[in-house]
Amino acid sequence: MDFIYPEANLIAGVDEVGRGPLVGAVVTAAVILDPNKPIIGLADSKKLTEKKREQLFIEIQEKALCWCIGRAEPEEIDEINILHATMLAMQRAVAGLSITPDFVLVDGNRCPKLSMPSQAVVKGDSLVKEISAASILSKVVRDREMVALDKTYPEYGFAKHKGYPTAYHLEKLAQHGATKFHRTSFAPVRRALAAKD
């Protein structure tokens, strides 16, 4: 199925990475691509190899008309919940674009409140190249943060599971308790903290 684009000149694609993990920020990206500088191979970031994502990450930053990373930190996620934090991070990404888009396409089934028209696109990261680009930027940024966090807290294995609630992560959480980067409102983290008390 081909996606029918809205009638607009400057379309930004928005996607997020990191709603499910127990640790770290939820990271979003907004991207306006340059029609005169096509990028080959854009796809849902989850379907690309890490090497391919890293290559496209550089190419998107070089060729896009503009792009911006938005985020919401663990404290914000714990305060307003993951859904609201994701919407906030998306608003920040769009607000940070150096060019104001006419229209915003958002991956998923809901849009944040924005000052311009927007549309939610289910499976947008596979259907809309602007959203694919945003998914690649946000995934590479977040994965790099998890690799960096792994160097500070090697015992949790963040570089491997990227903060998702894998059996290994849950085992280490039970063993070592939570770091200050864990989301304390998420049940597995709450349980680990309660067990430590």
Side-chain angles (χ1 to χ4, degrees):
M1 184 187 94
D2 280 346
F3 176 73
I4 313 293
Y5 275 84
E7 291 291 323
N9 293 323
L10 291 165
I11 294 176
V14 176
D15 200 4
E16 55 70 31
V17 171
R19 279 173 73 157
L22 307 177
V23 70
V26 60
V27 177
T28 62
V31 182
I32 301 177
L33 294 173
D34 185 341
N36 302 316
K37 294 181 186 167
I39 300 169
I40 307 302
L42 288 176
D44 171 4
S45 64
K46 295 184 286 295
K47 297 186 177 137
L48 299 167
T49 63
E50 187 178 349
K51 187 177 169 207
K52 186 67 185 158
R53 280 198 300 268
E54 290 281 351
Q55 288 167 344
L56 285 166
F57 181 78
I58 296 163
E59 195 178 347
I60 293 161
Q61 291 180 330
E62 286 171 353
K63 289 184 175 175
L65 287 175
C66 63
W67 58 273
C68 181
I69 299 290
R71 52 194 301 124
E73 300 304 332
E75 308 82 68
E76 296 177 300
I77 293 168
D78 290 335
E79 197 175 313
I80 60 175
N81 85 33
I82 186 63
L83 177 67
H84 289 103
T86 303
M87 295 296 136
L88 178 64
M90 286 180 170
Q91 287 169 331
R92 286 171 176 166
V94 174
L97 289 169
S98 56
I99 303 166
T100 304
D102 307 324
F103 204 100
V104 178
L105 296 170
V106 181
D107 184 55
N109 59 3
R110 60 178 71 204
C111 293
K113 287 191 174 67
L114 297 166
S115 57
M116 66 289 292
S118 62
Q119 179 185 340
V121 186
V122 173
K123 297 202 176 2
D125 43 13
S126 303
L127 297 170
V128 178
K129 55 187 187 298
E130 289 81 359
I131 296 178
S132 301
S135 87
I136 291 164
L137 291 188
S138 44
K139 178 145 180 64
V140 171
V141 166
R142 194 176 190 288
D143 282 358
R144 285 177 179 178
E145 289 178 9
M146 288 296 108
V147 171
L149 198 59
D150 188 68
K151 291 186 170 63
T152 316
Y153 300 99
E155 64 276 19
Y156 292 90
F158 293 136
K160 285 200 289 289
H161 54 66
K162 307 294 189 282
Y164 283 89
T166 60
Y168 182 87
H169 187 185
L170 295 175
E171 183 193 324
K172 297 301 167 190
L173 198 54
Q175 208 175 338
H176 303 291
T179 68
K180 63 175 191 231
F181 299 102
H182 275 90
R183 303 171 180 178
T184 53
S185 59
F186 281 41
V189 181
R190 258 201 332 266
R191 282 198 295 272
L193 290 169
K196 281 282 175 213
D197 288 347

